[in-house]
Amino acid sequence: MSEITVRIPGHEPVRAQAGESAAAVLKKAGAIRGAIAARRGDQVIDLSRPIDADCELAPIAPSSPEGLDVIRHSTAHLLAQAVKRLFPQAQVTIGPVIEDGFYYDFAFERGFTPEDLERIEAEMRKIVAADYQVVRSESPRDEAVERFRSIGEEFKAEIIAGIPSNEPIGLYTQGDFTDLCRGPHVQSTGRLGAFKLTHVAGAYWRGDERNPMLQRIYGTAFADKATLEEHLALLEEAKKRDHRRLGPALDLFSLHPIAPGIPFFHPHGTVVYNTLVAYVRELYKRYGYTEVITPQLYKTDLFKTSGHYENYREDMFLVAVDEEEYGIKPMNCPGHVYLFGQGKKSYRDLPIRMADFSRLHRFERSGVLNGLTRVRGFAQDDAHIFCTPEQLDEEFASFLAMTREVYDAFGFTDISLAVETRPEKFLGSPELWDQAEKALQDGLRRAGFEFSVSAGDGAFYGPKIAFNVRDALKRSWTLATIQIDCAMPDRFGISYVRPDGAEGRPMMLHRAVLGSIERFIAILLEHTGGALPLWLAPVQVRVLSVTDRVAEHAARVGRQLEAAGIRVEVDQRNEKLGFKIRAAEVLKTPVIAVVGDKEAAAGAVAPRWRGVASQGAPAQSVEAFVAEVAERSRLPISAAVEEPVRAQVH
RNA sequence: GCCGAUGUAGCUCAACGGUAGAGCAACUGAUUUGUAAUCAGUAGGUUGUCGGUUCGAUUCCGAUCAUCGGCUCCA
């Protein structure tokens, strides 16, 4: 045995015998305390792994991100062991760590019930109490395949069979249970304990819906009980911010079985909706967009030309009229390209930024509908930009600037960008796609955006950039998107006359900043917990009378606010002030104006702004109050306005 | 679409093989109230829908619709 030197950050280098375990080496340095695994170089390893060469070694604490991964991964194994003990017929498959937890998929002839989960959890605790050593071993691939096949674990055998034959297979054994695994794991099951199984769900084997459905058990685990409790409490809080709860509670919208997936917007919700549209229209003035209104229903010939009939028909509502087939539009693009194609266009007309707030209808599969975030009927702040190839970069940059402005205005900071590339089913030439994908990535880099690449996720007509945000339950949704169209200009044969008199094919961009208005409202509600900004709030001011004596003054204040264009409600109910304040607060009203005898005598109000911890605010004259509310209600359009790039008039 | 769960008053929930109850909200009355819930009373439900088992179903069974959690798919 040769002697090696191990560097340990923050400690003296340690001399050790080659082959000593990571735990032993760390112990020599006095760095083992609490460690759950170790990092050798950039690799996380088991504490029991032998160290056989000079290297750098660091302990991993249970509460560190890597430590949590180890705990969750080991807890997934714990789950599998418990399930195998209780349901020997169940076959194990995979059990990865996910954000905030883990899951494990089992092939089992029936679903697991909530009662099963309780039993499984109890069994897991028994295994923790038994404190089995978790032992790593290696096995040649074919031997491992045979081993799992012989005990009826067909799925596991299939996974191993897919690993190159020269790679040794890592196996982890704890008590009566052995699983294929890359590791690393905790040293013994006793190190686990702060876990909870959360829910069950079906999941297709290898994520393909043609494959059999497995039973997935989700759970979460932490380094200690307290953090687990904290996490569970956080989930409860998140539920309160869920737009599906807030929307109906604030009387903004509702969904009914009579129109599944197509929301009813109540008067207050309609104000929010229309105000968002007004905001975007204001931006359009500055960014040089023109708005159009286009048909809702087209003969399917249009969709045959656009390629939607071929590639998107499954998601469309088709209707038969007079022995002719019509389709309700799922997107605005075909209509817009068609419209562009009417009349002769010159390079002087470009760019044309054609905006449209039409309602769109898509036949989403029943299981995917979700509140306002995934619906069958919705509108987008949609626009299509037709430009020359030379204008593409500038148009793209302008879109990114607009998007940044909007997201800043709403305080959305947790946004991730993904460039989604050519899918299996696509239209247009691969060369054009490559070019377009590169253009998107270059543009993002120039604008200083970070992004990931999501291969194969693009639309069938072109690659896209998706601006993804998360809802209260941490599910990711796409709001803004921009796509370069690689197909439709060709398919519709649209053209423009270039300066040299020849015909050119315009470039086409599809883009939306809010994305779907419905989805945007959902995310905004969750982001703000229902406390919409003053300019968007359906009721901006609520005037509260203290007694019947001041009813007239309260009504007058209401009229003055209304005259200034402010959305106001006057609460003259025969109730105590505290009751009315609570009622207004529960509805997240941004501004409350209290009116009592003192205010009535002075022609004043006592304002109370949401989120300001003032009670018994000093009175303010009605005029000053109205002016302040009006000032603070303005659309969040930044003052620094660039000259819009408009098509030249000739 | 697939796997699983759920569906009782406007909302949140209770009960149960013998035709449903609370709190909040609503309505009425009293109270005239000063910065997050005044008191009292009234009304409100073919227990999602359809079918089956049963002397009897809201309860048990089946189908269906919708919703929820996932999978697959997407703004």
Side-chain angles (χ1 to χ4, degrees):
Chain A
M1 279 267 175
S2 58
E3 201 164 73
I4 56 170
T5 307
V6 179
R7 296 181 308 282
I8 295 169
H11 294 266
E12 291 293 309
V14 172
R15 308 283 300 164
Q17 294 299 317
E20 280 191 64
S21 73
V25 174
L26 286 173
K27 199 166 183 178
K28 278 187 183 170
I32 188 72
R33 181 190 297 269
I36 198 148
R39 188 204 324 275
R40 181 179 56 192
D42 52 5
Q43 198 188 6
V44 179
I45 59 170
D46 299 313
L47 284 177
S48 58
R49 275 292 189 104
I51 303 298
D52 39 25
D54 290 358
C55 64
E56 186 168 296
L57 198 66
I60 288 181
S63 54
S64 68
E66 295 98 330
L68 270 181
D69 276 1
V70 172
I71 287 171
R72 288 168 180 167
H73 199 169
S74 294
T75 308
H77 274 225
L78 187 63
L79 164 62
Q81 183 175 14
V83 167
K84 287 298 288 182
R85 279 188 175 185
L86 296 171
F87 309 97
Q89 331 81 289
Q91 290 189 52
V92 294
T93 67
I94 56 164
V97 171
I98 52 174
E99 190 177 358
D100 293 337
F102 61 88
Y103 66 77
Y104 207 112
D105 285 346
F106 302 92
F108 193 42
E109 75 257 5
R110 63 170 178 88
F112 294 105
T113 64
E115 295 73 47
D116 289 336
L117 282 197
E118 278 175 35
R119 284 181 61 203
I120 294 166
E121 226 182 271
E123 192 65 32
M124 287 167 74
R125 302 211 182 275
K126 279 190 208 162
I127 300 168
V128 169
D131 197 17
Y132 295 114
Q133 288 295 309
V134 180
V135 182
R136 185 178 195 279
S137 60
E138 285 185 4
S139 155
R141 189 195 68 172
D142 295 338
E143 216 168 278
V145 170
E146 199 37 55
R147 172 176 182 168
F148 281 100
R149 189 159 287 153
S150 70
I151 55 172
E153 297 285 5
E154 298 296 334
F155 289 90
K156 214 70 185 181
E158 185 183 325
I159 296 171
I160 301 169
I163 298 174
S165 59
N166 51 353
E167 275 183 37
I169 304 300
L171 298 173
Y172 281 83
T173 302
Q174 50 195 59
D176 50 5
F177 177 74
T178 297
D179 200 355
L180 157 80
C181 194
R182 196 176 288 125
H185 282 287
V186 295
Q187 281 189 292
S188 72
T189 56
R191 292 298 302 263
L192 306 170
F195 61 81
K196 181 166 174 53
L197 301 183
T198 52
H199 55 290
V200 288
Y204 298 107
W205 167 236
R206 293 189 186 274
D208 190 325
E209 62 181 323
R210 289 165 301 198
N211 286 340
M213 182 151 277
L214 309 173
Q215 301 302 327
R216 176 171 298 179
I217 297 178
Y218 283 90
T220 189
F222 286 85
D224 56 76
K225 269 258 154 28
T227 358
L228 173 67
E229 295 298 329
E230 206 175 293
H231 178 252
L232 296 177
L234 219 62
L235 287 184
E236 285 303 310
E237 275 308 302
K239 277 189 195 158
K240 290 184 192 155
R241 288 209 327 270
D242 193 322
H243 76 278
R244 290 167 300 187
R245 177 188 293 259
L246 285 173
L250 300 176
D251 199 17
L252 300 176
F253 63 85
S254 56
L255 284 152
H256 303 276
I258 203 67
I262 312 181
F264 284 76
F265 277 89
H266 299 8
H268 282 175
T270 304
V271 168
V272 177
Y273 186 108
N274 284 337
T275 306
L276 280 172
V277 170
Y279 167 63
V280 173
R281 284 199 168 112
E282 217 36 59
L283 289 170
Y284 282 172
K285 284 186 198 163
R286 288 185 28 218
Y287 285 87
Y289 286 68
T290 49
E291 188 176 341
V292 295
I293 296 173
T294 53
Q296 203 64 41
L297 193 64
Y298 295 91
K299 290 187 182 175
T300 46
D301 303 52
L302 181 80
F303 301 115
K304 284 173 184 159
T305 305
S306 70
H308 284 79
Y309 200 76
E310 189 188 335
N311 294 286
Y312 205 76
R313 188 175 25 174
E314 301 291 293
D315 299 284
M316 286 177 62
F317 288 100
L318 296 171
V319 284
V321 183
D322 274 355
E323 305 193 1
E324 189 111 40
E325 192 179 34
Y326 282 68
I328 301 172
K329 68 175 165 190
M331 301 181 191
N332 289 311
C333 34
H336 286 186
V337 196
Y338 181 85
L339 183 56
F340 180 93
Q342 300 312 111
K344 200 86 173 161
K345 295 290 186 297
S346 147
Y347 75 94
R348 294 171 186 274
D349 296 318
L350 304 183
I352 289 175
R353 308 185 187 91
M354 199 184 283
D356 197 330
F357 293 98
S358 290
R359 297 203 64 73
L360 306 172
H361 294 269
R362 301 182 184 174
F363 182 71
E364 299 289 348
R365 294 154 105 190
S366 59
V368 306
L369 298 178
N370 188 278
L372 242 41
T373 45
R374 189 73 181 274
V375 292
R376 286 184 175 155
F378 62 104
Q380 294 175 305
D381 60 328
D382 196 14
H384 295 94
I385 298 170
F386 300 92
C387 65
T388 68
E390 298 73 41
Q391 290 167 330
L392 183 66
D393 287 349
E394 196 181 330
E395 288 305 313
F396 186 34
S398 165
F399 165 79
L400 291 177
M402 183 171 170
T403 305
R404 186 169 271 162
E405 175 176 348
V406 170
Y407 286 33
D408 283 350
F410 287 100
F412 288 163
T413 48
D414 190 14
I415 295 173
S416 57
L417 276 68
V419 174
E420 304 182 347
T421 60
R422 191 169 72 227
E424 276 177 40
K425 265 174 108 181
F426 70 97
L427 299 177
S429 75
E431 296 74 43
L432 196 53
W433 274 83
D434 291 345
Q435 221 177 312
E437 286 169 11
K438 184 172 183 302
L440 289 178
Q441 300 192 23
D442 289 349
L444 282 178
R445 285 198 194 94
R446 268 198 301 277
F449 280 101
E450 285 186 18
F451 61 91
S452 62
V453 174
S454 201
D457 282 342
F460 65 84
Y461 48 77
K464 75 176 164 196
I465 297 172
F467 289 68
N468 299 312
V469 298
R470 286 152 164 263
D471 69 11
L473 301 179
K474 292 199 175 181
R475 291 177 295 203
S476 178
W477 302 98
T478 299
L479 294 183
T481 168
I482 184 164
Q483 303 160 24
I484 296 180
D485 199 310
C486 296
M488 275 189 234
D490 275 341
R491 294 176 71 98
F492 280 84
I494 56 171
S495 63
Y496 67 101
V497 179
R498 297 198 314 221
D500 61 6
E503 298 247 301
R505 184 77 79 214
M507 301 291 295
M508 178 178 177
L509 295 172
H510 305 238
R511 41 63 69 216
V513 176
L514 304 186
S516 118
I517 315 286
E518 283 75 2
R519 182 178 285 179
F520 193 83
I521 289 173
I523 297 296
L524 190 57
L525 281 175
E526 304 199 348
H527 186 68
T528 60
L532 295 170
L534 181 59
W535 66 276
L536 254 186
V539 175
Q540 297 169 305
V541 181
R542 207 151 153 135
V543 181
L544 311 184
S545 58
V546 178
T547 72
D548 288 348
R549 289 190 299 279
V550 297
E552 201 181 313
H553 179 57
R556 196 175 321 120
V557 171
R559 283 196 298 274
Q560 276 176 263
L561 286 160
E562 224 159 47
I566 291 157
R567 299 182 289 271
V568 58
E569 274 179 9
V570 181
D571 186 351
Q572 294 199 20
R573 288 178 296 178
N574 178 9
E575 296 288 353
K576 293 172 115 169
L577 182 60
F579 177 90
K580 296 187 185 183
I581 287 186
R582 183 181 147 76
E585 292 283 352
V586 164
L587 291 172
K588 315 274 184 195
T589 314
V591 192
I592 291 169
V594 175
V595 162
D597 288 327
K598 282 180 286 182
E599 289 75 19
V605 298
R608 176 185 164 118
W609 292 76
R610 183 181 64 201
V612 178
S614 68
Q615 298 194 334
Q620 185 178 20
S621 79
V622 178
E623 288 69 27
F625 175 68
V626 172
E628 183 175 357
V629 175
E631 169 62 26
R632 294 216 218 168
S633 302
R634 293 224 302 256
L635 295 181
I637 304 272
S638 62
V641 182
E642 287 170 45
E643 273 303 298
V645 189
R646 289 189 191 284
Q648 296 167 29
V649 179
H650 55 281

